[in-house]
Amino acid sequence: MLDPDRGLSLTIARVVQRLQGSSLHSQLERQARVSLHKPEIKLESLKEDIKDFLKTSGWEKKLQNAVYSELNVFPSPCHPAAPPEHIKEPLAYMRKAQGSWEKRILKSLNSMCTELNIPLAQKRPANEQKELLNKWNEMGTDEPDLSLFRPVYAPKDFLEVLMNLRNPNYENGEQPSFRNHLGLIQVPLKVKDIPELKEGFSELGLNIGQLGIDDSAQVPPEFFENEHVRVGQKVLAEQDSAAAQQYVRQGCPTALRADLWALILNISNQPEDILYYEQLKSNVIQHNLLVDSLIYKDVKLTASNDDYYFVFEDYLYQVLLCFSRDTSVLEHFAYSSATPPKSYIQGKLGMEEYAVYYPPNGVIPFHGFSMYVAPLCFLYHEPSKLYQIFREMYVRFFFRLHSISSHPSGIVSLCLLFETLLQTHLPQLFYHLREIGAQPLRISFKWMVRAFSGYLATDQLLLLWDRILGYNSLEILAVLAAAVFAFRAVNLMEVTSLAAAEAVLADLSTLKVMPLLQIFLFATVT
Amino acid sequence: MAGKVKWVTDIEKSVLINNFEKRGWIQVAENEDWNFYWMSVQTIRNVFSVETGYRLSDDQIVNHFPNHYELTRKDLMVKNIKRYRKELEKEGSPLAEKDENGKYIYLDFVPVTFMLPADYNLFVEEFRKNPSSTWIMKPCGKAQGKGIFLINKLSQIKKWSRDSKTSSFVSQSSKEAYVISLYINNPLLIGGKKFDLRLYVLVSTYRPLRCYMYKLGFCRFCTVKYTPSTSELDNMFVHLTNVAIQKHGDDYNHIHGGKWTVSNLRLYLESTRGKEVTNKLFDEIHWIIVQSLKAVAVNASPSLTSSTANDRILKYNLINDTLNIAVPNGEIPDCKWNKSPPKEVLGNYEVLYDEEMAQSDGTDRDLRGRPGQSTGVKGSRARDSGKPVLTTWK
């Protein structure tokens, strides 16, 4: 058990180490030096005066936001003697399962490579580079032959793996019965129950104003909306990340959302960020990666056919192709249970000096991956900003949806949370669906893996993602999934097959997310 | 209150027929006694033409006003707007105010346009002022994007020149007349693509003007990225957004048909540009619609062909709501009733403008309200009070 002081000093040390050498650090140094010319800075009280200056000029706020960002992203330290893989994932059997899953994916990718006789990476000839540069803004019009490419995996393949997860230290001799867990996930992770969720999501309570409920046409804006917008503008003026994160729990006004999310994610689109994006773009132009074809295929299959997102097809290529080449994404593997696939230069197998990560960012896209980016196109139309927002969303949240871990926001916990909520509060429905071979998770899994993107109407999706950012957790996805089942319970009780159950839940585009969540959490008799 | 409404149509579209049948209306033939006739454009022309036409009796409704083509034929529309503006100017109406450059402040919503061949010389004069500009040629009597092309050189429209020796004198028959307008080459792009708006407006009475806008309009996107470059002038897939044309482009998608709902557009604009700008945009759109209607008369035939499943549902509901307003309670029409329908029957329509209510609300309310200057308007989310609260201008 780590004593709190020790834990705090470890955290401070880690944050300091991460911020040192960052561009913010050099900017602060520069500002401090510049301030020396100012009359209010006196030699006798140098330290205090500089600190005051940084405070009044807003630089202290920027530092606060950066620290806050670090605290949000990195997990709290465990015991100082714990090895790095424990920070990635404390449970050994989970690590093992993730490792096997990764091997499978890589095998699939390699065999596709061999079958199609396409190298994993290749430098583009000069004329192809020129052509791609010209077409950069309209790659959607390209029609490469993608018929031979298959997605490396789809969500349902991943579900099969999760269903087979077992903790070898846990022997449950009993047959599955009503007293045990009747769902597909059979690992004993701790998940919250409704009282705990109510406490955790207290700002969604019935007597608190929400966007998505209290801004509807029937409610006069004086009751809640106007004041909420005013507070939002104030938060933006103060440029305070922590305040913004608290604020968005009640939803973002559409006109403020883009800026609020950027503030929470600490994205400021500095010149060096734009430069970095341009660098990635030139990497795309110069080299062709096999995963590029997977990305093309995914966009063509999913976003291009979506009623809302087809318009942004070209932006999706511009983001995802760069994303694959972004080695800064490798940093997130320090706290993810996943490990980036390694490849060796030809002939140098096993020699670490000749190892490279493939793809450069270590993330192999799967079927539906582009749907993580698509909703963001409604908020940001400047490519480099769109890119940074997506990257930050990925390394904070989305990576947990397709890796095996015990983290409360990891997909395994979300599945278990969903099944437990349903089994506890709608036992009849759960039992009925199970009996007819329609395990609820089989239907809701794809919603959660995609964070509901492509299933909800865009304005509703954005209200949902407001709360993901506000609570810094993905648990709301599981709660919403359960709430959807609760909402359609009457119809579901009448179906007699998995196909019929799928049909009842096929169209979520008319659902209003916030009322569903509110009713499920706060207005259902437990 | 006896009898069911008797209907006729000469357009075999399921979205129409299903709506009639679900109301239990009775189908009759054209030469029989009918109450409601959904006519094609050709039939309208016959019914209202001087030689072959006939008067409608008090219990008959049709789906177009007699002079609907004043709004749909491009040359007539332009003429009407120009005339309307001059009339307002003569009356001294504040709406016709101009700025220091002579541009109308409130009524400048048509780009510089000329009729060809009639105004050819005027056009040439204007063209020479900006020789690098692009102009768009549209045939007066066609729809669905047919016959439209872009030009940037006078030689491209030689045959409309009245003095041209190479062309035989182009007859004044309306089929060959064109309008030519200054092409706006910096349109708002979304995802790099150009789009237009398809909005449905129902005019139930003309005097007093009572019109409704369907809330579920949509945007139609070009499938190819917009580029103002001159080499792409010939590529109609870049410049024209009519579905009929886009349908044949390589990238046309049959699932969503290159369309977005207006509410998506609103969400996107509010998120990326802010609420005030978005509200102002929609206010101005509504303003243009009402002013155009006032300048002229009514309606034409939107395409009732559905291109996707979603589209079919939309049009079915649209016709349903339309019939509910036009033939309230399914009663046999009586031209003497002229009441505003209650708000429950509006369905997805909302009141765009109700002249009667506007006038009874206060003749002292002056016309100073330029759309967009109001700050409290929530755009097109009507408050369901039955009053025209879309904008503050009346």
Side-chain angles (χ1 to χ4, degrees), chain A residues 137-138 215 217 221 225 254-255 304-305 307-308 310-311 314 378, chain B residues 190 193 225 253 256 258-260 264 270-271 310 378 381 383:
Chain A
N137 286 326
E138 48 186 37
D215 55 332
E225 200 181 344
T254 41
S304 300
N305 287 328
D307 283 344
Y308 298 93
F310 71 90
V311 177
D314 298 325
F378 263 83
Chain B
I190 297 185
K193 300 184 177 72
K225 262 297 190 330
N253 182 301
H256 52 67
K259 296 180 194 161
W260 243 19
N264 276 355
E270 276 184 18
S271 303
N310 280 349
K378 282 169 79 89
R381 269 183 299 180
R383 292 303 208 183

PDB file of all heavy atoms in Angstrom, chain A residues 137-138 215 217 221 225 254-255 304-305 307-308 310-311 314 378, chain B residues 190 193 225 253 256 258-260 264 270-271 310 378 381 383:
ATOM      1  N   ASN A 137      -6.284  16.891 -51.279  1.00  0.00           N
ATOM      2  CA  ASN A 137      -7.573  17.318 -50.742  1.00  0.00           C
ATOM      3  C   ASN A 137      -8.753  16.534 -51.270  1.00  0.00           C
ATOM      4  O   ASN A 137      -9.882  16.805 -50.895  1.00  0.00           O
ATOM      5  CB  ASN A 137      -7.801  18.802 -51.055  1.00  0.00           C
ATOM      6  CG  ASN A 137      -6.932  19.656 -50.173  1.00  0.00           C
ATOM      7  OD1 ASN A 137      -6.677  19.311 -49.039  1.00  0.00           O
ATOM      8  ND2 ASN A 137      -6.455  20.761 -50.707  1.00  0.00           N
ATOM      9  N   GLU A 138      -8.496  15.598 -52.154  1.00  0.00           N
ATOM     10  CA  GLU A 138      -9.644  14.858 -52.671  1.00  0.00           C
ATOM     11  C   GLU A 138      -9.306  13.396 -52.898  1.00  0.00           C
ATOM     12  O   GLU A 138      -9.622  12.825 -53.923  1.00  0.00           O
ATOM     13  CB  GLU A 138     -10.127  15.492 -53.969  1.00  0.00           C
ATOM     14  CG  GLU A 138      -9.005  15.768 -54.935  1.00  0.00           C
ATOM     15  CD  GLU A 138      -9.493  16.531 -56.148  1.00  0.00           C
ATOM     16  OE1 GLU A 138     -10.372  17.391 -55.982  1.00  0.00           O
ATOM     17  OE2 GLU A 138      -8.993  16.224 -57.232  1.00  0.00           O
ATOM     18  N   ASP A 215     -32.810  22.034 -23.083  1.00  0.00           N
ATOM     19  CA  ASP A 215     -32.699  23.057 -24.123  1.00  0.00           C
ATOM     20  C   ASP A 215     -33.656  22.734 -25.259  1.00  0.00           C
ATOM     21  O   ASP A 215     -33.511  23.243 -26.349  1.00  0.00           O
ATOM     22  CB  ASP A 215     -31.265  23.095 -24.657  1.00  0.00           C
ATOM     23  CG  ASP A 215     -30.803  21.731 -25.143  1.00  0.00           C
ATOM     24  OD1 ASP A 215     -31.312  20.708 -24.624  1.00  0.00           O
ATOM     25  OD2 ASP A 215     -29.952  21.668 -26.030  1.00  0.00           O
ATOM     26  N   ALA A 217     -37.236  22.581 -27.440  1.00  0.00           N
ATOM     27  CA  ALA A 217     -38.048  23.711 -27.875  1.00  0.00           C
ATOM     28  C   ALA A 217     -39.122  24.088 -26.866  1.00  0.00           C
ATOM     29  O   ALA A 217     -39.565  25.224 -26.828  1.00  0.00           O
ATOM     30  CB  ALA A 217     -38.675  23.397 -29.223  1.00  0.00           C
ATOM     31  N   PRO A 221     -35.649  29.287 -22.784  1.00  0.00           N
ATOM     32  CA  PRO A 221     -34.201  29.295 -22.557  1.00  0.00           C
ATOM     33  C   PRO A 221     -33.766  29.988 -21.272  1.00  0.00           C
ATOM     34  O   PRO A 221     -32.672  29.767 -20.789  1.00  0.00           O
ATOM     35  CB  PRO A 221     -33.640  30.028 -23.782  1.00  0.00           C
ATOM     36  CG  PRO A 221     -34.789  30.736 -24.382  1.00  0.00           C
ATOM     37  CD  PRO A 221     -36.026  29.989 -24.023  1.00  0.00           C
ATOM     38  N   GLU A 225     -30.783  27.287 -20.334  1.00  0.00           N
ATOM     39  CA  GLU A 225     -29.857  27.351 -21.453  1.00  0.00           C
ATOM     40  C   GLU A 225     -29.058  28.646 -21.489  1.00  0.00           C
ATOM     41  O   GLU A 225     -27.836  28.619 -21.669  1.00  0.00           O
ATOM     42  CB  GLU A 225     -30.644  27.195 -22.752  1.00  0.00           C
ATOM     43  CG  GLU A 225     -29.777  26.773 -23.904  1.00  0.00           C
ATOM     44  CD  GLU A 225     -30.570  26.657 -25.200  1.00  0.00           C
ATOM     45  OE1 GLU A 225     -31.807  26.613 -25.127  1.00  0.00           O
ATOM     46  OE2 GLU A 225     -29.939  26.615 -26.260  1.00  0.00           O
ATOM     47  N   THR A 254     -23.643  24.095 -28.745  1.00  0.00           N
ATOM     48  CA  THR A 254     -22.986  23.717 -30.008  1.00  0.00           C
ATOM     49  C   THR A 254     -21.940  24.726 -30.444  1.00  0.00           C
ATOM     50  O   THR A 254     -20.887  24.346 -30.949  1.00  0.00           O
ATOM     51  CB  THR A 254     -23.996  23.566 -31.173  1.00  0.00           C
ATOM     52  OG1 THR A 254     -24.939  24.623 -31.090  1.00  0.00           O
ATOM     53  CG2 THR A 254     -24.698  22.247 -31.122  1.00  0.00           C
ATOM     54  N   ALA A 255     -22.199  26.012 -30.220  1.00  0.00           N
ATOM     55  CA  ALA A 255     -21.249  26.993 -30.708  1.00  0.00           C
ATOM     56  C   ALA A 255     -19.963  27.020 -29.903  1.00  0.00           C
ATOM     57  O   ALA A 255     -18.943  27.517 -30.370  1.00  0.00           O
ATOM     58  CB  ALA A 255     -21.897  28.375 -30.693  1.00  0.00           C
ATOM     59  N   SER A 304     -18.079   6.589 -45.760  1.00  0.00           N
ATOM     60  CA  SER A 304     -18.614   7.048 -47.044  1.00  0.00           C
ATOM     61  C   SER A 304     -20.081   6.710 -47.211  1.00  0.00           C
ATOM     62  O   SER A 304     -20.763   7.309 -48.029  1.00  0.00           O
ATOM     63  CB  SER A 304     -17.860   6.421 -48.206  1.00  0.00           C
ATOM     64  OG  SER A 304     -16.516   6.758 -48.140  1.00  0.00           O
ATOM     65  N   ASN A 305     -20.551   5.703 -46.492  1.00  0.00           N
ATOM     66  CA  ASN A 305     -21.942   5.299 -46.625  1.00  0.00           C
ATOM     67  C   ASN A 305     -22.819   5.879 -45.535  1.00  0.00           C
ATOM     68  O   ASN A 305     -23.991   5.548 -45.442  1.00  0.00           O
ATOM     69  CB  ASN A 305     -22.054   3.781 -46.564  1.00  0.00           C
ATOM     70  CG  ASN A 305     -21.531   3.146 -47.824  1.00  0.00           C
ATOM     71  OD1 ASN A 305     -21.635   3.743 -48.895  1.00  0.00           O
ATOM     72  ND2 ASN A 305     -20.959   1.976 -47.706  1.00  0.00           N
ATOM     73  N   ASP A 307     -24.966   8.594 -43.546  1.00  0.00           N
ATOM     74  CA  ASP A 307     -25.773   9.781 -43.879  1.00  0.00           C
ATOM     75  C   ASP A 307     -25.155  11.079 -43.422  1.00  0.00           C
ATOM     76  O   ASP A 307     -25.386  12.123 -44.012  1.00  0.00           O
ATOM     77  CB  ASP A 307     -27.138   9.696 -43.180  1.00  0.00           C
ATOM     78  CG  ASP A 307     -28.067   8.742 -43.874  1.00  0.00           C
ATOM     79  OD1 ASP A 307     -27.786   8.378 -45.027  1.00  0.00           O
ATOM     80  OD2 ASP A 307     -29.073   8.353 -43.263  1.00  0.00           O
ATOM     81  N   TYR A 308     -24.446  11.039 -42.304  1.00  0.00           N
ATOM     82  CA  TYR A 308     -23.933  12.286 -41.755  1.00  0.00           C
ATOM     83  C   TYR A 308     -22.504  12.557 -42.216  1.00  0.00           C
ATOM     84  O   TYR A 308     -22.117  13.682 -42.432  1.00  0.00           O
ATOM     85  CB  TYR A 308     -23.914  12.231 -40.223  1.00  0.00           C
ATOM     86  CG  TYR A 308     -25.269  12.063 -39.599  1.00  0.00           C
ATOM     87  CD1 TYR A 308     -25.767  10.810 -39.295  1.00  0.00           C
ATOM     88  CD2 TYR A 308     -26.062  13.172 -39.315  1.00  0.00           C
ATOM     89  CE1 TYR A 308     -27.023  10.655 -38.731  1.00  0.00           C
ATOM     90  CE2 TYR A 308     -27.308  13.020 -38.735  1.00  0.00           C
ATOM     91  CZ  TYR A 308     -27.782  11.768 -38.444  1.00  0.00           C
ATOM     92  OH  TYR A 308     -29.010  11.615 -37.882  1.00  0.00           O
ATOM     93  N   PHE A 310     -20.529  11.205 -44.785  1.00  0.00           N
ATOM     94  CA  PHE A 310     -19.979  11.006 -46.129  1.00  0.00           C
ATOM     95  C   PHE A 310     -19.314  12.273 -46.668  1.00  0.00           C
ATOM     96  O   PHE A 310     -18.363  12.214 -47.436  1.00  0.00           O
ATOM     97  CB  PHE A 310     -21.075  10.540 -47.093  1.00  0.00           C
ATOM     98  CG  PHE A 310     -22.086  11.607 -47.438  1.00  0.00           C
ATOM     99  CD1 PHE A 310     -21.896  12.448 -48.521  1.00  0.00           C
ATOM    100  CD2 PHE A 310     -23.231  11.769 -46.672  1.00  0.00           C
ATOM    101  CE1 PHE A 310     -22.822  13.442 -48.836  1.00  0.00           C
ATOM    102  CE2 PHE A 310     -24.162  12.751 -46.970  1.00  0.00           C
ATOM    103  CZ  PHE A 310     -23.952  13.595 -48.059  1.00  0.00           C
ATOM    104  N   VAL A 311     -19.820  13.429 -46.197  1.00  0.00           N
ATOM    105  CA  VAL A 311     -19.291  14.696 -46.684  1.00  0.00           C
ATOM    106  C   VAL A 311     -17.802  14.855 -46.381  1.00  0.00           C
ATOM    107  O   VAL A 311     -17.064  15.498 -47.110  1.00  0.00           O
ATOM    108  CB  VAL A 311     -20.066  15.856 -46.010  1.00  0.00           C
ATOM    109  CG1 VAL A 311     -19.528  17.190 -46.422  1.00  0.00           C
ATOM    110  CG2 VAL A 311     -21.531  15.747 -46.330  1.00  0.00           C
ATOM    111  N   ASP A 314     -12.835  12.991 -47.438  1.00  0.00           N
ATOM    112  CA  ASP A 314     -11.455  13.382 -47.728  1.00  0.00           C
ATOM    113  C   ASP A 314     -10.699  13.735 -46.464  1.00  0.00           C
ATOM    114  O   ASP A 314      -9.509  13.441 -46.336  1.00  0.00           O
ATOM    115  CB  ASP A 314     -11.437  14.569 -48.685  1.00  0.00           C
ATOM    116  CG  ASP A 314     -12.070  14.214 -50.016  1.00  0.00           C
ATOM    117  OD1 ASP A 314     -11.906  13.058 -50.445  1.00  0.00           O
ATOM    118  OD2 ASP A 314     -12.724  15.077 -50.617  1.00  0.00           O
ATOM    119  N   PHE A 378     -17.411  17.464 -37.654  1.00  0.00           N
ATOM    120  CA  PHE A 378     -18.481  18.446 -37.475  1.00  0.00           C
ATOM    121  C   PHE A 378     -18.018  19.632 -36.654  1.00  0.00           C
ATOM    122  O   PHE A 378     -18.686  20.651 -36.595  1.00  0.00           O
ATOM    123  CB  PHE A 378     -19.678  17.789 -36.760  1.00  0.00           C
ATOM    124  CG  PHE A 378     -20.741  17.325 -37.705  1.00  0.00           C
ATOM    125  CD1 PHE A 378     -20.630  16.102 -38.335  1.00  0.00           C
ATOM    126  CD2 PHE A 378     -21.848  18.104 -37.973  1.00  0.00           C
ATOM    127  CE1 PHE A 378     -21.604  15.664 -39.222  1.00  0.00           C
ATOM    128  CE2 PHE A 378     -22.832  17.677 -38.856  1.00  0.00           C
ATOM    129  CZ  PHE A 378     -22.709  16.452 -39.478  1.00  0.00           C
TER     130      PHE A 378
ATOM    131  N   ILE B 190     -18.496  22.595 -47.798  1.00  0.00           N
ATOM    132  CA  ILE B 190     -18.415  21.731 -46.617  1.00  0.00           C
ATOM    133  C   ILE B 190     -17.697  20.468 -47.042  1.00  0.00           C
ATOM    134  O   ILE B 190     -18.078  19.847 -48.026  1.00  0.00           O
ATOM    135  CB  ILE B 190     -19.815  21.407 -46.070  1.00  0.00           C
ATOM    136  CG1 ILE B 190     -20.488  22.697 -45.622  1.00  0.00           C
ATOM    137  CG2 ILE B 190     -19.716  20.430 -44.916  1.00  0.00           C
ATOM    138  CD1 ILE B 190     -21.817  22.479 -44.952  1.00  0.00           C
ATOM    139  N   LYS B 193     -16.786  20.469 -50.559  1.00  0.00           N
ATOM    140  CA  LYS B 193     -17.756  20.255 -51.629  1.00  0.00           C
ATOM    141  C   LYS B 193     -18.824  21.352 -51.630  1.00  0.00           C
ATOM    142  O   LYS B 193     -19.198  21.896 -50.609  1.00  0.00           O
ATOM    143  CB  LYS B 193     -18.442  18.906 -51.425  1.00  0.00           C
ATOM    144  CG  LYS B 193     -17.467  17.740 -51.439  1.00  0.00           C
ATOM    145  CD  LYS B 193     -18.228  16.420 -51.318  1.00  0.00           C
ATOM    146  CE  LYS B 193     -17.309  15.234 -51.391  1.00  0.00           C
ATOM    147  NZ  LYS B 193     -16.487  15.046 -50.205  1.00  0.00           N
ATOM    148  N   LYS B 225     -14.912  17.365 -55.481  1.00  0.00           N
ATOM    149  CA  LYS B 225     -14.426  18.552 -54.796  1.00  0.00           C
ATOM    150  C   LYS B 225     -14.610  19.796 -55.659  1.00  0.00           C
ATOM    151  O   LYS B 225     -14.339  19.779 -56.842  1.00  0.00           O
ATOM    152  CB  LYS B 225     -12.922  18.424 -54.566  1.00  0.00           C
ATOM    153  CG  LYS B 225     -12.498  17.956 -53.190  1.00  0.00           C
ATOM    154  CD  LYS B 225     -12.885  18.902 -52.123  1.00  0.00           C
ATOM    155  CE  LYS B 225     -12.346  18.703 -50.747  1.00  0.00           C
ATOM    156  NZ  LYS B 225     -12.042  17.426 -50.274  1.00  0.00           N
ATOM    157  N   ASN B 253     -23.522   7.992 -54.520  1.00  0.00           N
ATOM    158  CA  ASN B 253     -23.771   6.923 -53.569  1.00  0.00           C
ATOM    159  C   ASN B 253     -25.269   6.723 -53.427  1.00  0.00           C
ATOM    160  O   ASN B 253     -26.005   7.648 -53.166  1.00  0.00           O
ATOM    161  CB  ASN B 253     -23.144   7.334 -52.234  1.00  0.00           C
ATOM    162  CG  ASN B 253     -23.299   6.263 -51.185  1.00  0.00           C
ATOM    163  OD1 ASN B 253     -24.410   5.868 -50.853  1.00  0.00           O
ATOM    164  ND2 ASN B 253     -22.197   5.797 -50.666  1.00  0.00           N
ATOM    165  N   HIS B 256     -27.057   7.242 -49.351  1.00  0.00           N
ATOM    166  CA  HIS B 256     -27.482   8.535 -48.820  1.00  0.00           C
ATOM    167  C   HIS B 256     -27.742   9.552 -49.913  1.00  0.00           C
ATOM    168  O   HIS B 256     -28.243  10.613 -49.653  1.00  0.00           O
ATOM    169  CB  HIS B 256     -26.452   9.078 -47.832  1.00  0.00           C
ATOM    170  CG  HIS B 256     -25.069   9.093 -48.379  1.00  0.00           C
ATOM    171  ND1 HIS B 256     -24.688   9.906 -49.415  1.00  0.00           N
ATOM    172  CD2 HIS B 256     -23.969   8.396 -48.047  1.00  0.00           C
ATOM    173  CE1 HIS B 256     -23.425   9.684 -49.686  1.00  0.00           C
ATOM    174  NE2 HIS B 256     -22.952   8.793 -48.883  1.00  0.00           N
ATOM    175  N   GLY B 258     -25.972  11.574 -51.513  1.00  0.00           N
ATOM    176  CA  GLY B 258     -25.269  12.852 -51.471  1.00  0.00           C
ATOM    177  C   GLY B 258     -26.059  13.944 -50.775  1.00  0.00           C
ATOM    178  O   GLY B 258     -25.889  15.112 -51.074  1.00  0.00           O
ATOM    179  N   LYS B 259     -26.955  13.596 -49.872  1.00  0.00           N
ATOM    180  CA  LYS B 259     -27.798  14.592 -49.218  1.00  0.00           C
ATOM    181  C   LYS B 259     -27.592  14.620 -47.714  1.00  0.00           C
ATOM    182  O   LYS B 259     -27.286  13.632 -47.077  1.00  0.00           O
ATOM    183  CB  LYS B 259     -29.282  14.258 -49.462  1.00  0.00           C
ATOM    184  CG  LYS B 259     -29.698  14.334 -50.902  1.00  0.00           C
ATOM    185  CD  LYS B 259     -31.173  13.998 -51.037  1.00  0.00           C
ATOM    186  CE  LYS B 259     -31.519  13.737 -52.482  1.00  0.00           C
ATOM    187  NZ  LYS B 259     -32.755  13.006 -52.641  1.00  0.00           N
ATOM    188  N   TRP B 260     -27.824  15.814 -47.186  1.00  0.00           N
ATOM    189  CA  TRP B 260     -27.748  16.048 -45.746  1.00  0.00           C
ATOM    190  C   TRP B 260     -29.034  16.723 -45.334  1.00  0.00           C
ATOM    191  O   TRP B 260     -29.559  17.542 -46.080  1.00  0.00           O
ATOM    192  CB  TRP B 260     -26.614  17.038 -45.486  1.00  0.00           C
ATOM    193  CG  TRP B 260     -25.478  16.563 -44.687  1.00  0.00           C
ATOM    194  CD1 TRP B 260     -25.111  15.278 -44.436  1.00  0.00           C
ATOM    195  CD2 TRP B 260     -24.505  17.387 -44.050  1.00  0.00           C
ATOM    196  NE1 TRP B 260     -23.982  15.264 -43.671  1.00  0.00           N
ATOM    197  CE2 TRP B 260     -23.582  16.536 -43.428  1.00  0.00           C
ATOM    198  CE3 TRP B 260     -24.310  18.748 -43.951  1.00  0.00           C
ATOM    199  CZ2 TRP B 260     -22.492  17.002 -42.705  1.00  0.00           C
ATOM    200  CZ3 TRP B 260     -23.227  19.217 -43.233  1.00  0.00           C
ATOM    201  CH2 TRP B 260     -22.333  18.355 -42.619  1.00  0.00           C
ATOM    202  N   ASN B 264     -28.597  18.848 -39.986  1.00  0.00           N
ATOM    203  CA  ASN B 264     -27.154  18.567 -39.982  1.00  0.00           C
ATOM    204  C   ASN B 264     -26.367  19.810 -40.341  1.00  0.00           C
ATOM    205  O   ASN B 264     -25.329  20.116 -39.753  1.00  0.00           O
ATOM    206  CB  ASN B 264     -26.805  17.527 -41.057  1.00  0.00           C
ATOM    207  CG  ASN B 264     -27.011  16.129 -40.559  1.00  0.00           C
ATOM    208  OD1 ASN B 264     -27.324  15.929 -39.407  1.00  0.00           O
ATOM    209  ND2 ASN B 264     -26.840  15.165 -41.437  1.00  0.00           N
ATOM    210  N   GLU B 270     -23.312  25.827 -36.739  1.00  0.00           N
ATOM    211  CA  GLU B 270     -23.234  26.338 -35.369  1.00  0.00           C
ATOM    212  C   GLU B 270     -21.931  25.933 -34.724  1.00  0.00           C
ATOM    213  O   GLU B 270     -21.312  26.718 -34.004  1.00  0.00           O
ATOM    214  CB  GLU B 270     -24.407  25.803 -34.544  1.00  0.00           C
ATOM    215  CG  GLU B 270     -25.667  26.629 -34.701  1.00  0.00           C
ATOM    216  CD  GLU B 270     -26.808  26.155 -33.798  1.00  0.00           C
ATOM    217  OE1 GLU B 270     -26.526  25.417 -32.828  1.00  0.00           O
ATOM    218  OE2 GLU B 270     -27.948  26.535 -34.078  1.00  0.00           O
ATOM    219  N   SER B 271     -21.516  24.668 -34.969  1.00  0.00           N
ATOM    220  CA  SER B 271     -20.300  24.183 -34.326  1.00  0.00           C
ATOM    221  C   SER B 271     -19.053  24.853 -34.858  1.00  0.00           C
ATOM    222  O   SER B 271     -18.108  25.090 -34.120  1.00  0.00           O
ATOM    223  CB  SER B 271     -20.144  22.673 -34.541  1.00  0.00           C
ATOM    224  OG  SER B 271     -21.260  21.991 -34.061  1.00  0.00           O
ATOM    225  N   ASN B 310     -34.747   6.556 -47.767  1.00  0.00           N
ATOM    226  CA  ASN B 310     -34.991   7.689 -46.862  1.00  0.00           C
ATOM    227  C   ASN B 310     -35.790   8.764 -47.555  1.00  0.00           C
ATOM    228  O   ASN B 310     -36.670   9.391 -46.989  1.00  0.00           O
ATOM    229  CB  ASN B 310     -33.664   8.320 -46.434  1.00  0.00           C
ATOM    230  CG  ASN B 310     -33.019   7.525 -45.320  1.00  0.00           C
ATOM    231  OD1 ASN B 310     -33.652   6.649 -44.751  1.00  0.00           O
ATOM    232  ND2 ASN B 310     -31.784   7.823 -45.026  1.00  0.00           N
ATOM    233  N   LYS B 378     -34.505  31.707 -32.090  1.00  0.00           N
ATOM    234  CA  LYS B 378     -33.869  30.394 -32.070  1.00  0.00           C
ATOM    235  C   LYS B 378     -33.960  29.724 -33.426  1.00  0.00           C
ATOM    236  O   LYS B 378     -34.275  28.568 -33.537  1.00  0.00           O
ATOM    237  CB  LYS B 378     -34.546  29.528 -31.006  1.00  0.00           C
ATOM    238  CG  LYS B 378     -34.073  29.895 -29.622  1.00  0.00           C
ATOM    239  CD  LYS B 378     -34.948  29.235 -28.586  1.00  0.00           C
ATOM    240  CE  LYS B 378     -34.617  27.780 -28.373  1.00  0.00           C
ATOM    241  NZ  LYS B 378     -33.611  27.562 -27.366  1.00  0.00           N
ATOM    242  N   ARG B 381     -36.405  26.571 -34.922  1.00  0.00           N
ATOM    243  CA  ARG B 381     -37.152  25.763 -33.966  1.00  0.00           C
ATOM    244  C   ARG B 381     -38.381  26.563 -33.548  1.00  0.00           C
ATOM    245  O   ARG B 381     -38.337  27.391 -32.684  1.00  0.00           O
ATOM    246  CB  ARG B 381     -36.283  25.461 -32.748  1.00  0.00           C
ATOM    247  CG  ARG B 381     -35.513  24.162 -32.915  1.00  0.00           C
ATOM    248  CD  ARG B 381     -34.740  23.853 -31.699  1.00  0.00           C
ATOM    249  NE  ARG B 381     -33.768  24.887 -31.416  1.00  0.00           N
ATOM    250  CZ  ARG B 381     -32.953  24.855 -30.387  1.00  0.00           C
ATOM    251  NH1 ARG B 381     -32.979  23.857 -29.570  1.00  0.00           N
ATOM    252  NH2 ARG B 381     -32.101  25.826 -30.180  1.00  0.00           N
ATOM    253  N   ARG B 383     -41.731  27.811 -31.957  1.00  0.00           N
ATOM    254  CA  ARG B 383     -42.217  27.685 -30.594  1.00  0.00           C
ATOM    255  C   ARG B 383     -43.608  27.123 -30.521  1.00  0.00           C
ATOM    256  O   ARG B 383     -44.230  27.133 -29.480  1.00  0.00           O
ATOM    257  CB  ARG B 383     -42.201  29.064 -29.912  1.00  0.00           C
ATOM    258  CG  ARG B 383     -40.817  29.574 -29.683  1.00  0.00           C
ATOM    259  CD  ARG B 383     -40.047  28.606 -28.862  1.00  0.00           C
ATOM    260  NE  ARG B 383     -39.015  29.236 -28.094  1.00  0.00           N
ATOM    261  CZ  ARG B 383     -38.163  28.580 -27.341  1.00  0.00           C
ATOM    262  NH1 ARG B 383     -38.259  27.293 -27.274  1.00  0.00           N
ATOM    263  NH2 ARG B 383     -37.255  29.208 -26.677  1.00  0.00           N
TER     264      ARG B 383
END
